[in-house]
Amino acid sequence: MRLLRVVILGSLHSRFIEKALPYLVPMLLETLLKQKEDQDQDDGIWNVSMAGGTCLGLVARTVGDAIVPLVMPFVEANILKTDWRSREAATYAFGSILEGPSVEKLAPMVHAGLDFLLNAMKDENSHVKDTTAWTLSRVLELLHTPSTGFSVISPANLQRVLGVLLESIKDAPHVAEKVCGAIYYLAQGYEDAGASSSLLTPYLPDIITCLIATAGRTDGGDSKLRSAAYETLNEVVRCSNLTETSHIITQLLPVIMNKLGQTVELQIVSSDDREKQGDLQALLCGVLQAIIQKLSSTDETKAVILQASDQIMVLFLKVFACRSSTVHEEAMLAIVD
């Protein structure tokens, strides 16, 4: 932990970190191998491996391209080992250095490593899958920007990427939550991407179906999976090409309205039940807000909202009667839109 503080302070003085790289990076990489067999990915407890990865990320952001040749030999040496700790550490190291180095430096190794990451989503070890999903999310957040002319995702590999993500979203909650993050950034990358924005359109029905199913999982409350699924759904709606997807978004509207209506009928016998009801209603009101904003952006699709406006207002009035300040805020935002 002391090392983390040193790196944070050292990052303020990049020349100091650059001079220490040959000694510092190997020490940080070694900490990545100190995972605990029974560690819970969702317990939020700070450990040595997490600290090492955070330090490595700070170093990458400080020194840029210089970090890559020092880390990639570790990744290549450990990524195929039978010991899960080695595979997980290699993936964690890879994901930790994606912010800082230039796209030109990262592009070759990311293109070469993407297929491996997709295959690793079927790893036998849950820790490896968890870290792989996080790394894929980082790749899509930082290196999937069609509007700038560069993206690790292409028409040739999009179907495979989405196929893996939509299958992996059925995995354990802590893995599925990170897969939601990957889908979130995949959709976000196509926003304002010109002709490229159409690439996601054929897959939109399957993406929406999977996200709704994920939000409805009985273990959806674990790892904040339910909120991650609905937040991702919001982003998918927001970033979609309305010219091509208006019918899909229109069909989604009654589905979400029905789900919100069902929450009003839930039997509430305890304060915990009330809290869960409020959380779910807030999420669904957020989705309705995203749909309303999207469909209200053109005169043609705005008519859909006007036709459903009375029913929507009745739903919101029922939500207000549930006496949850958080839900009231979300409902009011949707009404204002």
Side-chain angles (χ1 to χ4, degrees), residues 22-331:
Y23 312 99
L24 177 61
V25 172
M27 286 192 296
L28 293 175
L29 293 173
E30 187 65 26
T31 66
L32 302 187
L33 293 163
K34 296 182 179 180
Q35 312 97 319
K36 293 182 179 179
E37 182 74 46
D38 59 347
Q39 67 185 17
D40 184 348
Q41 288 94 333
D42 302 310
D43 59 13
I45 297 177
W46 192 248
N47 56 48
V48 173
S49 177
M50 290 172 60
T54 299
C55 287
L56 192 62
L58 288 170
V59 172
R61 287 162 56 186
T62 301
V63 304
D65 289 356
I67 193 76
V68 176
L70 294 172
V71 172
M72 288 311 295
F74 175 86
V75 173
E76 294 165 357
N78 287 277
I79 199 70
L80 294 176
K81 286 188 176 179
T82 56
D83 176 25
W84 74 264
R85 287 183 174 83
S86 298
R87 300 196 305 276
E88 196 271 343
T91 306
Y92 193 14
F94 186 82
S96 296
I97 65 168
L98 293 176
E99 185 176 6
S102 63
V103 170
E104 291 74 18
K105 190 72 172 179
L106 290 173
M109 72 175 195
V110 173
H111 278 299
L114 181 61
D115 193 61
F116 184 89
L117 290 173
L118 295 173
N119 288 331
M121 286 305 301
K122 297 181 180 179
D123 195 278
E124 61 185 20
N125 184 274
S126 64
H127 296 286
V128 175
K129 287 189 290 187
D130 182 83
T131 301
T132 301
W134 171 79
T135 300
L136 279 171
S137 180
R138 294 266 293 170
V139 167
L140 292 169
E141 178 186 6
L142 300 168
L143 297 167
H144 169 52
T145 53
S147 60
T148 67
F150 175 82
S151 176
V152 69
I153 304 300
S154 68
N157 64 20
L158 177 58
Q159 183 174 8
R160 170 157 162 70
V161 170
L162 266 173
V164 170
L165 293 177
L166 296 184
E167 180 62 30
S168 298
I169 205 172
K170 303 172 187 175
D171 212 307
H174 61 86
V175 176
E177 181 192 353
K178 294 176 179 66
V179 172
C180 285
I183 297 172
Y184 180 103
Y185 290 118
L186 178 65
Q188 190 178 78
Y190 286 116
E191 183 184 16
D192 300 325
S196 295
S197 64
S198 298
L199 293 175
L200 203 61
T201 300
Y203 305 100
L204 209 62
D206 287 341
I207 293 172
I208 290 174
T209 298
C210 282
L211 289 171
I212 290 176
T214 300
R217 283 172 51 162
T218 55
D219 57 358
D222 299 338
S223 280
K224 301 179 182 178
L225 177 56
R226 181 172 292 112
S227 61
Y230 278 131
E231 286 168 8
T232 301
L233 180 59
N234 293 348
E235 194 69 0
V236 168
V237 169
R238 190 183 71 81
C239 298
S240 63
N241 184 327
L242 186 59
T243 302
E244 300 173 346
T245 65
S246 60
H247 64 290
I248 301 173
I249 307 303
T250 297
Q251 291 169 2
L252 179 61
L253 177 60
V255 173
I256 300 303
M257 289 173 61
N258 182 55
K259 287 185 174 295
L260 183 58
Q262 290 173 354
T263 66
V264 178
E265 307 301 325
L266 290 174
Q267 185 176 8
I268 307 300
V269 297
S270 67
S271 59
D272 187 52
D273 289 339
R274 176 70 67 189
E275 182 179 358
K276 290 180 179 178
Q277 180 195 47
D279 290 344
L280 181 54
Q281 287 177 336
L283 291 170
L284 290 167
C285 284
V287 179
L288 276 180
Q289 180 187 3
I291 294 173
I292 291 169
Q293 286 179 331
K294 194 68 178 181
L295 293 179
S296 297
S297 60
T298 69
D299 291 338
E300 181 180 354
T301 53
K302 188 182 296 183
V304 175
I305 298 299
L306 292 175
Q307 290 173 2
S309 59
D310 287 345
Q311 293 173 282
I312 293 173
M313 280 304 303
V314 168
L315 279 174
F316 287 149
L317 289 174
K318 290 181 178 180
V319 166
F320 288 139
C322 292
R323 296 178 298 176
S324 170
S325 59
T326 301
V327 182
H328 291 176
E329 180 179 353
E330 292 291 341

